[in-house]
Amino acid sequence: MPRLPLVLLALAAVLLPASAAPAVSPTARSTAPTFNGSVYAITHRGATTYVGGTFTTATAGGRTYARERLAAFDSRTGKLLDWAPSADGVVRALAATEDAVYAAGDFRAVSGEPRDSLARLHPTNGAVRSFRHTLSGTPYALATGNGRLYLAGSFTQVTGEKRANLAAFSLTTGKLDPAWRPAADDTVHALAVTGPRVYLGGGFHLVGAVKGTLRLASVNGVSGAVDPAFRPRVPAEVRSISLDPTGVQVATAGVGGRAISYSYTGAPRWQRVFDGDASTIASAGGITYVGGHFDNACLTERNGVKGGCVDGSRPRFKLVAVTAKGQLTSWAPKANGVIGVRVLSVNHVAGTIEAGGDFTTIDGRDRRRFAAF
């Protein structure tokens, strides 16, 4: 099994064991800011939570503030921070390092500075930094590791260089990595990094023309070579990936969504089926949290031609938690809306699970597009 980051191992040690109930309350905190448009992306740097999406205002402490698709707040108190770079298009992905916040999306400028789909921002004052590239397509995911910023999406070129839906940049120089060039033959929606391994998920059929890489694959974070030992068989398009000490969890779309857990060799461990897409997944303390468009969790792995549960179901409105053995927990906050939850993230400092999306209420209470549990 790949070596996991110390922070992830520490989180698994201090939170509840796999057989216990979720470590997170189903009641959303009332102190977190809310937003007037969709939240697509969440990342963290220390106690600061950064969010990106389509919103143009944020509401905190009873006041509304202009925030053009990017915002930041103290995750412990909910206080909105002055960090307020403005993007002129949707922010789809975020990643943070000690000295920067990286954003990717449909924008062409950030705070008036020309930036084609990618930007590097100062983590405390929001200033646009020198990192500048062009992209021939749409970015969907960012991740950091191995001294690199990894980018995934649906694109054919980065700064005039051919890239097949995947690219990497040096975190030191900001330059496009000439050596890291795994090629996916279709869209890559999700990235997750642990040690020297980068996990890719999406709608692709092959990575690097290697068989057995349908929709989910592992590549070397330095060379880009496909890991020959990881050969999962994923039945539908992967939208999100989470890693924990036991393996790789994915959220899939399709006719009814699925949350599936694989070992680090690609062997299936458990599967849950829902009556709508599973859009996002996050793991902590032996519990896997799933968000999406669904209203029910199926009692078996069977569903009908339109995605409905065949053998009975339990109500789970856009959010669900699953044990390390694939069993449903009692954690069942009710998010509203059609799209529901787009992104989930584990906040290590605040000890919360954060959710973003298109919902406006949780259990009937005002939680517009963002909630922390």
Side-chain angles (χ1 to χ4, degrees):
M1 186 182 83
R3 184 180 179 184
L4 288 169
L6 291 178
V7 67
L8 186 55
L9 291 174
L11 179 68
V14 300
L15 290 181
L16 296 176
S19 60
V24 178
S25 166
T27 302
R29 287 185 175 180
S30 60
T31 55
T34 59
F35 300 89
N36 73 335
S38 301
V39 171
Y40 280 70
I42 302 171
T43 195
H44 308 100
R45 176 182 171 272
T48 301
T49 294
Y50 301 88
V51 296
T54 66
F55 54 83
T56 55
T57 66
T59 299
R63 295 182 59 187
T64 297
Y65 304 83
R67 290 293 186 273
E68 296 285 339
R69 303 173 185 90
L70 289 160
F73 61 92
D74 187 315
S75 61
R76 297 164 299 186
T77 66
K79 180 182 177 182
L80 194 69
L81 302 180
D82 292 337
W83 193 84
S86 59
D88 67 353
V90 182
V91 174
R92 297 183 178 276
L94 293 170
T97 62
E98 184 178 347
D99 62 353
V101 175
Y102 293 89
D106 299 340
F107 50 83
R108 291 295 175 265
V110 178
S111 299
E113 297 287 336
R115 291 294 184 272
D116 182 6
S117 306
L118 295 166
R120 180 174 184 257
L121 308 168
H122 192 283
T124 57
N125 64 27
V128 181
R129 311 294 284 273
S130 59
F131 180 79
R132 186 173 179 179
H133 294 276
T134 58
L135 192 71
S136 63
T138 303
Y140 288 115
L142 292 170
T144 60
N146 305 297
R148 293 165 173 81
L149 173 72
Y150 299 101
L151 170 71
S154 178
F155 52 84
T156 56
Q157 290 188 343
V158 178
T159 316
E161 298 289 334
K162 290 184 178 180
R163 292 293 187 275
N165 305 308
L166 292 160
F169 308 86
S170 168
L171 288 175
T172 303
T173 66
K175 293 181 178 180
L176 182 67
D177 187 335
W180 199 80
R181 302 187 64 166
D185 66 357
D186 207 335
T187 303
V188 181
H189 286 289
L191 294 169
V193 181
T194 177
R197 291 292 166 196
V198 180
Y199 290 86
L200 323 169
F204 51 83
H205 300 84
L206 295 170
V207 177
V210 177
K211 293 182 179 179
T213 53
L214 177 67
R215 304 186 184 103
L216 181 63
S218 170
V219 301
N220 187 279
V222 177
S223 69
V226 175
D227 178 2
F230 185 68
R231 288 291 183 273
R233 300 182 66 180
V234 187
E237 184 174 284
V238 172
R239 292 300 179 91
S240 181
I241 303 171
S242 71
L243 308 175
D244 69 12
T246 65
V248 182
Q249 284 66 244
V250 299
T252 75
V255 181
R258 296 169 188 263
I260 311 172
S261 179
Y262 298 95
S263 72
Y264 278 102
T265 63
R269 299 176 61 246
W270 55 258
Q271 179 175 199
R272 295 302 316 190
V273 177
F274 311 102
D275 66 351
D277 290 352
S279 303
T280 180
I281 197 163
S283 301
I287 301 296
T288 294
Y289 300 87
V290 187
H293 311 170
F294 51 82
D295 291 328
N296 293 281
C298 302
L299 297 183
T300 70
E301 296 179 3
R302 297 200 311 145
N303 58 6
V305 292
K306 294 184 179 180
C309 300
V310 174
D311 301 315
S313 63
R314 297 272 178 82
R316 292 295 187 273
F317 294 95
K318 316 304 191 270
L319 289 162
V320 68
V322 182
T323 71
K325 294 184 179 180
Q327 299 169 332
L328 291 177
T329 74
S330 60
W331 190 78
K334 298 177 182 179
N336 71 339
V338 177
I339 299 299
V341 177
R342 292 181 181 271
V343 58
L344 290 171
S345 184
V346 179
N347 188 319
H348 300 255
V349 174
T352 57
I353 299 295
E354 296 173 341
D358 289 27
F359 56 87
T360 57
T361 65
I362 300 290
D363 293 324
R365 297 174 181 172
D366 181 16
R367 295 307 318 150
R368 282 165 289 158
R369 289 100 188 179
F370 184 89
F373 300 93

